[in-house]
Amino acid sequence: MVQYRLTASKTKLYALAKRDFPGIEPMRRTEFIRYPGGHSYGLRFWAGACACRLYLAPCCGRVSLAYERSNLDEPGDGAARWESRTLDLDELKEFGLLEEIPGGPTT
């Protein structure tokens, strides 16, 4: 069995966010965040009038992806909505978010 480690960069998270938010601002205007104490990552960006934050983290052997959206054009100014889902192995590999751990157990 091959073991993997979650790894991310601004470019990889931007590509992932662009799939769900085609109107995302240019990458140079986004903010990449590497949270201390583990393999958790974030990306802050604007998509139109929506302030967004992406959060990617391993949890219980799976990788969770969460988006926070705050639409400033709607009533209830600044009200945030969270959406969350688990990414499957194929999605993680497609965006280059996995790094194989050398010397891990093999089958």
Side-chain angles (χ1 to χ4, degrees), residues 3 17-18 20 28-29 39-40 45 64 78-80 95 97 99 102 106:
Q3 290 185 347
K18 190 161 182 74
D20 294 336
R28 69 182 176 280
R29 293 187 185 156
H39 295 280
S40 300
F45 59 92
S64 295
F95 290 98
L97 294 166
E99 176 184 343
T106 58

Side-chain angles (χ1 to χ4, degrees), residues 18-65:
K18 190 161 182 74
R19 180 185 65 182
D20 294 336
F21 295 90
I24 189 173
E25 65 186 330
M27 186 168 59
R28 69 182 176 280
R29 293 187 185 156
T30 64
E31 178 187 358
F32 177 70
I33 304 157
R34 182 176 308 213
Y35 294 100
H39 295 280
S40 300
Y41 306 92
L43 188 71
R44 289 187 186 151
F45 59 92
W46 285 86
C50 227
C52 303
R53 191 168 49 147
L54 174 148
Y55 180 69
L56 182 73
C59 180
C60 302
R62 296 195 169 130
V63 177
S64 295
L65 174 67

